[in-house]
Amino acid sequence: MPYFGNWPEWFNLYLETCKQNTTINWLFFTDCPEPENKCLNVRYIRMSFEEFRKYAGEKLGFPLNMSHPYKICDLRVAFGVIFDEYIAGYDYWGFGDIDLLYGNIRKFLTDNILRYNVISFHSHSLSGSFSCFKNNLELKYMYRYLNNWQDKLSRDNWYDELDKLLGKILIKKEGSYFIESFNAPGANGIPWVDGPYIYPTEWYWSDGRLINNRDGGREFLYFHFMLWKGGKWGRLWRGGQWENLKKIVHFHYKEATDGW
């Protein structure tokens, strides 16, 4: 998880949901200070954006013309090579976003699901918010399935997540598991679990379990709230009514250890 700049205000809550998933490790490559919420399974490797750019270019074998950290979204397909020394010994590696809250991940990443090589929690594409890959040589170099891959990775302009293009290739390969797990209400233009375009309006997290006000006790893998937080994506959701909020989180993470 390369991340540069400033942690979002909900980051300590995000970490609280990582903390409950003790069999999974997160590695952040960042210039941000270590956050207040300490988690044994979350590690921080200090580097600047410029250091990351040079490091990633050396790993890939060609210079990267990156002027903005958002270009890192395109590089996710090559994280297996870029971070090969850090993922050595792991069964799987993956990438994801941090504008989300996790539920009980291993309830969804079961031993049965972990028979697959590629695991995506969107049915139609690789999920940029959370996808996993078996730690083997082929998938480390999966970005080479893309046409003109070196040009796409090295250019400064952003291709709007190359993982979406790669997903169209991987979804057809044997050993791939693509399933819609309904984690981003209102996004991707898909209806909700039971068919209609009616989405949950409240989500609840407690003891590592994530549920909402629409689906009874059904647990979810994660809640991706990119449309709820304001900014560009918030304007697409309910008219952007959160756009002018000065604050999104209104409680301290230590007050929420029993849930929120």
Side-chain angles (χ1 to χ4, degrees):
M1 308 280 280
Y3 189 89
F4 302 96
N6 297 293
W7 298 124
E9 63 175 286
W10 62 80
F11 193 61
N12 282 307
L13 293 176
Y14 167 89
L15 292 173
E16 195 67 24
T17 69
C18 294
K19 189 185 296 184
Q20 297 289 334
N21 288 285
T22 58
T23 66
I24 299 170
N25 294 327
W26 280 264
L27 303 177
F28 280 92
F29 302 82
T30 184
D31 58 357
C32 300
E34 190 167 336
E36 182 180 351
N37 196 357
K38 309 303 181 189
C39 304
L40 294 178
N41 56 334
V42 180
R43 178 184 170 199
Y44 304 91
I45 294 91
R46 297 287 299 175
M47 64 173 60
S48 66
F49 174 63
E50 178 63 18
E51 288 170 334
F52 168 77
R53 185 186 67 80
K54 291 181 179 178
Y55 174 79
E58 290 172 359
K59 286 289 187 177
L60 292 172
F62 51 86
L64 298 175
N65 299 311
M66 299 169 60
S67 60
H68 194 278
Y70 217 86
K71 176 64 180 178
I72 294 172
C73 290
D74 284 344
L75 297 183
R76 291 190 292 197
V77 298
F79 279 0
V81 168
I82 294 173
F83 299 119
D84 59 349
E85 64 185 286
Y86 292 96
I87 65 173
Y90 283 100
D91 299 312
Y92 281 79
W93 61 275
F95 52 68
D97 292 329
I98 63 172
D99 54 347
L100 53 80
L101 302 169
Y102 296 107
N104 182 351
I105 295 175
R106 287 306 300 272
K107 183 167 184 169
F108 298 86
L109 280 177
T110 63
D111 290 342
N112 184 52
I113 299 304
L114 290 173
R115 297 180 295 114
Y116 292 94
N117 298 323
V118 178
I119 303 170
S120 171
F121 291 99
H122 284 331
S123 59
H124 58 286
S125 67
L126 275 182
S127 171
S129 50
F130 186 28
S131 289
C132 298
F133 310 90
K134 187 163 285 188
N135 194 3
N136 61 34
L137 196 61
E138 178 187 9
L139 290 173
K140 282 183 180 180
Y141 288 93
M142 62 184 176
Y143 60 88
R144 294 188 176 184
Y145 289 135
L146 294 167
N147 292 328
N148 303 315
W149 56 268
Q150 183 168 335
D151 180 62
K152 288 181 170 68
L153 293 177
S154 61
R155 279 192 184 186
D156 188 35
N157 59 304
W158 176 46
Y159 278 87
D160 194 10
E161 301 181 358
L162 291 182
D163 48 275
K164 299 296 188 292
L165 295 176
L166 183 61
K168 295 179 179 179
I169 300 170
L170 294 179
I171 198 172
K172 300 175 182 178
K173 285 189 169 292
E174 185 178 356
S176 293
Y177 180 81
F178 284 65
I179 186 172
E180 185 55 55
S181 52
F182 301 98
N183 301 301
N188 304 314
I190 63 172
W192 197 238
V193 176
D194 52 353
Y197 290 85
I198 302 174
Y199 306 106
T201 56
E202 296 179 10
W203 289 76
Y204 314 104
W205 183 94
S206 179
D207 294 325
R209 296 176 66 249
L210 181 66
I211 60 175
N212 62 48
N213 67 332
R214 195 178 190 282
D215 298 289
R218 174 174 177 156
E219 291 186 49
F220 288 79
L221 172 62
Y222 60 94
F223 168 37
H224 190 195
F225 51 85
M226 64 178 182
L227 300 188
W228 292 44
K229 66 185 181 183
K232 180 180 78 170
W233 295 111
R235 286 191 290 272
L236 302 177
W237 179 250
R238 296 173 177 267
Q241 61 181 288
W242 289 276
E243 176 71 15
N244 296 318
L245 284 180
K246 295 180 179 179
K247 191 172 181 61
I248 298 175
V249 180
H250 295 273
F251 56 92
H252 195 276
Y253 78 92
K254 287 184 178 179
E255 301 170 353
T257 54
D258 293 328
W260 63 84

